[in-house]
Amino acid sequence: MAAATLPIRGSGIAAAQGPCSTWRASCGISSHAVCRGQPRAACSIRELPYAAAGRRIGSVCMQKPCVVMSSSARHRTQHTSTGDDAPAATCMGRRHVLLSMPAALLLPGMSQAAENVLQATVELGTQPPAASAVLMSRLQAATTPGSLLDRAFSAGDIRSPGNSLWTKPGFVECPRWLFGEWSVQSTYTGFRAPLGKRFVDPALLRAAEAPREQGGIGSVLAYSQRWYSTLPDTTANQIKFMLGTGVPSDAIVADRAFNTKSQTNAVLGYDGVAYVTYSLRDAPDRETVGFGGLAPDMRPLPPRKTELYISNTQSQSPAPDIFVTAELFRQVALGVRAVDVNDYEVVTVYAQTAAGRVEGVQRSVVYLEPRDQLYFEAGGRGVAVYDYQFVMERVPPPADAAELGAVACVLTPKNVTQCV
């Protein structure tokens, strides 16, 4: 979290307004005034202005979000060296994740020292957190052929959805009950190779079938995730702004940059991510992750970064309290004299089970990329499937915001605190 300059972990934008600072609820849902050293009666609620840059709609609630990074299935790359200059695999597609790829998938591109750190980060408990049996039965009962829920629970072959042809991927509008910052615990629950183990790299098989204490089935990761409100650059919003016919509509989106960094660091076991760059407005289908130059034992590391390309995004809401997303990624890990390319899909099912609590499942499906010698034999079908169950608890708002009626607050990529 950024350093606080305002009572509610605010930003320089509100700080310039004097003794009264305004925080907004989801870009227009509601507003409250917070006073610093002044009686509340002396404060006036201010509506933070909308702004426009060319044809784009902007406001203090602008953007940047989540996806995850992770390593995929069959690594047939030209490594000319070993050890630290091997490409660093990343996150959630996690383990994505948002919650997605298993920590085990990091192993093929990591040094032995990093593997040891990874194993040391696995959290063990007598009973790992998981979605309730009642919820799982309800989700499976709601599954229909061809739906995204079907992709999340199918025991058969799963085919790649392919690149999006009609819309630019990357923007996924989420339900309002996902707004806020959440503490996540994700449990690795299963692995299978639908086409047979010969389609999966042996190192990945060993990692996926490792004992629980070494990141295998039953291991748990804990990290934070954020969803915030923004004004999307949609045609409807542009028309409203140009013609003055109404207030642009906001949308709840994932903070991809924060989520990727949080989950990747949880998988690595230390703050190994130096930066994450992402722009929902300018490049919603691309994310760049740069890694630090020091290992946990302070050994210098060579330059490493990962480019994550979002090829396809889909979402469905089978019920008001259920939300499903499916995102297809191409991950390009760049190291010294090494390039590693992986294709994978992350399907996530969120279910609101109580106020401030979300349970769900996540599935990561690894596909072969065209350079793999078994690519045509696989025929676009997934070669490795990783399953997870997760529990999310919303982080309570700061005390001064709670006194004014806020139930959730989140710091946005623009360093503005939003509350509802």
Side-chain angles (χ1 to χ4, degrees), residues 291-360:
F291 296 89
L294 291 176
D297 58 4
M298 303 306 291
R299 289 182 302 107
L301 298 175
R304 301 158 300 152
K305 73 173 184 178
T306 294
E307 297 289 347
L308 187 65
Y309 300 91
I310 307 172
S311 305
N312 194 318
T313 54
Q314 303 176 65
S315 64
Q316 294 176 355
S317 295
D321 58 348
I322 298 175
F323 181 65
V324 190
T325 66
E327 300 177 304
L328 181 66
F329 303 95
R330 167 156 290 183
Q331 177 180 290
V332 182
L334 305 172
V336 176
R337 301 184 301 278
V339 177
D340 192 14
V341 181
N342 299 284
D343 292 339
Y344 62 93
E345 179 184 15
V346 178
V347 182
T348 309
V349 182
Y350 303 92
Q352 184 184 35
T353 57
R357 182 181 175 87
V358 171
E359 300 178 13

Side-chain angles (χ1 to χ4, degrees), residues 160-178:
S160 171
N163 295 348
S164 177
L165 299 177
W166 310 111
T167 59
K168 193 170 186 177
F171 174 75
V172 178
E173 182 173 356
C174 303
R176 295 197 175 275
W177 43 261
L178 275 176

Side-chain angles (χ1 to χ4, degrees), residues 194-393:
L195 305 185
K197 294 185 177 181
R198 71 186 183 93
F199 284 83
V200 185
D201 186 275
L204 288 180
L205 282 175
R206 289 194 298 271
E209 298 172 352
R212 177 187 176 194
E213 61 272 12
Q214 296 180 16
I217 293 175
S219 61
V220 180
L221 279 185
Y223 47 89
S224 297
Q225 300 286 273
R226 292 175 180 172
W227 282 263
Y228 68 101
S229 174
T230 188
L231 293 178
D233 187 22
T234 61
T235 300
N237 275 354
Q238 291 180 9
I239 292 175
K240 288 181 180 179
F241 179 80
M242 298 295 290
L243 300 181
T245 56
V247 177
S249 301
D250 73 305
I252 304 301
V253 297
D255 186 339
R256 289 187 185 270
F258 175 87
N259 293 352
T260 294
K261 186 174 184 178
S262 175
Q263 192 171 23
T264 303
N265 284 338
V267 170
L268 294 176
Y270 71 106
D271 293 336
V273 178
Y275 65 87
V276 178
T277 58
Y278 179 81
S279 174
L280 180 60
R281 185 184 68 178
D282 299 328
D285 57 349
R286 181 175 180 176
E287 187 176 10
T288 301
V289 180
F291 296 89
L294 291 176
D297 58 4
M298 303 306 291
R299 289 182 302 107
L301 298 175
R304 301 158 300 152
K305 73 173 184 178
T306 294
E307 297 289 347
L308 187 65
Y309 300 91
I310 307 172
S311 305
N312 194 318
T313 54
Q314 303 176 65
S315 64
Q316 294 176 355
S317 295
D321 58 348
I322 298 175
F323 181 65
V324 190
T325 66
E327 300 177 304
L328 181 66
F329 303 95
R330 167 156 290 183
Q331 177 180 290
V332 182
L334 305 172
V336 176
R337 301 184 301 278
V339 177
D340 192 14
V341 181
N342 299 284
D343 292 339
Y344 62 93
E345 179 184 15
V346 178
V347 182
T348 309
V349 182
Y350 303 92
Q352 184 184 35
T353 57
R357 182 181 175 87
V358 171
E359 300 178 13
V361 299
Q362 188 167 56
R363 167 170 285 182
S364 294
V365 184
V366 178
Y367 302 101
L368 299 185
E369 51 100 11
R371 295 182 302 167
D372 195 289
Q373 57 188 267
L374 295 178
Y375 173 77
F376 292 103
E377 187 174 348
R381 293 171 294 174
V383 299
V385 179
Y386 300 82
D387 288 320
Y388 309 86
Q389 293 184 21
F390 62 88
V391 175
M392 301 180 8
E393 298 282 352

